[in-house]
Amino acid sequence: MFHPIFKSSSVQRIIWAALALALVSLFLLLPSLGSRSVVDSLHIPSLHKTKQGSLPIPNVVHFVHLSYPNSTTPFEFPFRQFVAVYSAWYYLKPETINIWTNMDERSIAGWIKKAKSPYTRAVSDLPGVVFKHHNTTNHTSNGTRIDLLPNQSDFVRTDILMKYGGVYLDDDSYVLRDLAPLRNLQYDNVVGKQVNGEICPAVILATPNNKLMATYHALQDVVFRFSEWADHATKLLTTLVREFQTPDNQVLVLDQDTFFPSAWYPEDIEKLYRVHPDGGPDIIHNKPTKNITDFMANFQLKEPDTWKRDWRLSYTLHGWTSGIDHTFNETKQREIFGQDQGITLDYILAKSSNFALAVYPAIRHALDTGVLAHVPDDSLQMGSTEVVDADELRRVKGHWKRRNIDR
């Protein structure tokens, strides 16, 4: 019940007007009530802010493939890099796969024809693959030299994500599932933790022109130190994620299994790539059924003792291939990879390692659809550095045709 004084229409109008004015004043004051962050101090103009109903992260993939100016083989894609590009093409079905290079775009076609690796042409022939030039820098604004290609690639990565958005993948990041569910979550950025809890930049999903990527790109130039490999990349991204994680759906942080289920430690690299000739028991997959009673009746909690890893929680797999040569000598590598001595087509088809089991479906598809049918039979580079002759390639192709592998 209202007090009689409030029944006067003129008094009611005054009260409602006062309430409306108070609400408007509160709304205008809200932005100034929050604490000032590192983003506000940069004064970056025209930045995208995620809102409900905004566009998802673009389904565009970016790789960076740089070469030293005087390289005699500036445009080679070994088999393992073909696996990375093809897995992205197969699972993501992207609008384009942009391969950013420091080479002149007009010379790329010629270098592809000269390439020793047949997988260079296999990459270039994939529908939607586009080679794009990107300028690189060999020094920061304060004069610190950036000599190594991986470091230069870090600066290219943040620049293209800031401008275009999409899915960035290192050339040893392999897609295992469609990323659409993550792209459509209405976050400006989706990133993942690596084994030590830091945010790894080897896989990044981002909208164009968002605050985190713009800040990341700008501060790389400030914090880069040649003597500290990770400062401008992993450590900087980890610090910025803490700043941007809460406001405006800026960034979603996923656990290690999502993007980086393995790690760079020797025991992890060996578990990922080691060949197991005995095969071993399969992992138990408790397949869901429409009848939950049947599912529970057949459920098995304890998995068998097997070397095989369950990849079902992972969207991508980072191969840490740079750690292979740095960690193991040639003798140990031969022990781990067996007769294949590296990531080769035959190594994948054998499905005798965790890495092979993870990427096999994509490579099976490439063979079934004839993507590799045109691979020439002369002087071929199949693995990371291995050069094999025509007889070896014919053996692998024939081996595939003769195999009776269950789908």
Side-chain angles (χ1 to χ4, degrees), residues 172-193:
D172 60 347
S173 291
Y174 306 92
V175 179
L176 307 182
R177 296 168 58 187
D178 188 6
L179 297 174
L182 304 180
R183 291 191 300 102
N184 295 324
L185 287 176
Q186 297 187 330
Y187 282 86
D188 277 342
N189 305 274
V190 180
V191 296
K193 294 181 180 179

Side-chain angles (χ1 to χ4, degrees), residues 211-262:
K211 294 178 180 179
L212 172 57
M213 279 301 116
T215 310
Y216 187 21
H217 180 64
L219 288 179
Q220 274 188 306
D221 180 77
V222 177
V223 305
F224 177 81
R225 291 185 297 168
F226 181 78
S227 60
E228 299 294 335
W229 183 275
D231 279 4
H232 71 285
T234 305
K235 294 186 183 300
L236 175 58
L237 180 58
T238 302
T239 300
L240 291 177
V241 161
R242 296 192 188 102
E243 292 281 343
F244 290 91
Q245 188 169 7
T246 302
D248 302 328
N249 287 350
Q250 279 289 301
V251 56
L252 173 65
V253 180
L254 300 171
D255 66 14
Q256 183 196 345
D257 272 342
T258 309
F259 293 152
F260 309 103
S262 187

Side-chain angles (χ1 to χ4, degrees), residues 89-100:
W89 185 88
Y90 172 62
Y91 285 108
L92 306 185
K93 298 176 175 58
E95 298 171 19
T96 59
I97 296 180
N98 296 318
I99 300 180
W100 296 89

Side-chain angles (χ1 to χ4, degrees), residues 345-364:
L345 180 57
D346 209 20
Y347 170 82
I348 301 299
L349 298 183
K351 296 194 295 183
S352 297
S353 70
N354 276 304
F355 179 82
L357 286 172
V359 303
Y360 171 82
I363 299 309
R364 166 97 192 208

Side-chain angles (χ1 to χ4, degrees), residues 311-352:
W311 297 111
R312 287 178 295 170
L313 292 179
S314 300
Y315 282 81
T316 68
L317 165 65
H318 192 262
W320 308 105
T321 52
S322 61
I324 296 175
D325 290 331
H326 295 159
T327 305
F328 304 115
N329 58 31
E330 291 185 9
T331 302
K332 184 65 175 180
Q333 288 187 41
R334 284 195 294 270
E335 177 192 333
I336 292 172
F337 286 98
Q339 63 179 1
D340 297 300
Q341 298 183 25
I343 302 171
T344 67
L345 180 57
D346 209 20
Y347 170 82
I348 301 299
L349 298 183
K351 296 194 295 183
S352 297

Side-chain angles (χ1 to χ4, degrees), residues 22-37 40:
L23 288 172
V24 170
S25 300
L26 179 61
F27 177 79
L28 292 174
L29 284 171
L30 279 176
S32 64
L33 296 177
S35 61
R36 188 171 174 81
S37 69
D40 298 319

